[in-house]
Amino acid sequence: LNLGKTMNFDTIGSLFADVGCGNGKNIPSCYSKGFAIGSDFSVGLINVCREKVFEVNVSDALRIPYRSNCFDAVLSIAVLHHISSESRRIKLLAENMRILKKGGCALFYAWAYEQHDDKSKSGHKFKQQDVLVPFHRKPKFIQENGGGSSEDKVEDHSDDSAHVYQRYCHVYR
């Protein structure tokens, strides 16, 4: 994520909120401009972020535990399309805007209905806007030698049965 190009954001020393940060993949891109605090509903993903020594917390994107008007920029990447109703999506947008300073920048990414062209990475073809999309759980990992960081983990193929979960998505036209 290039914040300078994507958000036209060039202010150094800024405070970023990454709402729905997942595994924290966008947090490092904020460090060139300031400091980031991530939040996500998934305890497992927050633990991945903590292994990377990111400042994160477990929270609901509809009830963000931050003061109003305190962030220079808010990122909400691939979160909005997982919110189940229009009223809840409006609440998510309002919460993100509540924590944003006046004149700040907000960036929202969500899945598009039209993903069947050459530019799409996923190639999904949706029959309607509210869909369930299969999520394939990655293989389990075990610690080598009884401990260590995530770099020391090896795949555990003792249970090769794939776990596929259906995730709700509202795709946008």
Side-chain angles (χ1 to χ4, degrees):
L1 182 63
N2 183 329
L3 295 176
K5 288 183 179 180
T6 306
M7 298 179 76
N8 194 21
F9 194 85
D10 292 321
T11 307
I12 303 295
S14 297
L15 182 59
F16 293 84
D18 188 352
V19 179
C21 67
N23 66 6
K25 76 176 188 175
N26 294 311
I27 291 175
S29 65
C30 300
Y31 290 157
S32 64
K33 302 293 181 187
F35 185 76
I37 300 174
S39 62
D40 201 280
F41 194 71
S42 168
V43 174
L45 291 173
I46 288 299
N47 287 336
V48 170
C49 291
R50 288 181 177 147
E51 282 185 9
K52 298 175 184 177
V53 195
F54 294 152
E55 186 69 34
V56 292
N57 62 71
V58 176
S59 66
D60 183 343
L62 302 181
R63 292 178 195 84
I64 304 170
Y66 305 138
R67 291 178 297 160
S68 298
N69 306 308
C70 65
F71 289 92
D72 298 296
V74 175
L75 310 176
S76 187
I77 310 298
V79 177
L80 191 59
H81 57 260
H82 291 298
I83 305 302
S84 63
S85 69
E86 183 176 355
S87 64
R88 290 172 57 80
R89 291 188 287 272
I90 290 168
K91 173 71 173 153
L92 180 135
L93 294 169
E95 271 295 278
N96 279 264
M97 299 313 289
R98 178 187 63 77
I99 65 172
L100 185 65
K101 288 180 181 176
K102 185 175 182 171
C105 292
L107 177 65
F108 298 91
Y109 278 12
W111 277 20
Y113 180 83
E114 300 83 6
Q115 292 195 22
H116 51 273
D117 61 13
D118 294 338
K119 296 176 187 175
S120 172
K121 291 182 182 179
S122 74
H124 287 292
K125 292 183 181 180
F126 300 109
K127 294 181 180 178
Q128 58 192 35
Q129 284 186 275
D130 293 304
V131 295
L132 293 175
V133 177
F135 172 75
H136 301 269
R137 188 172 146 216
K138 292 183 179 179
K140 292 182 184 180
F141 287 88
I142 57 173
Q143 300 273 339
E144 243 184 301
N145 302 322
S149 68
S150 59
E151 287 81 23
D152 298 326
K153 294 179 183 176
V154 295
E155 290 187 28
D156 175 7
H157 294 283
S158 61
D159 178 13
D160 282 336
S161 60
H163 293 284
V164 179
Y165 299 94
Q166 297 296 320
R167 292 190 304 173
Y168 171 82
C169 285
H170 174 83
V171 289
Y172 291 85
R173 290 181 186 233

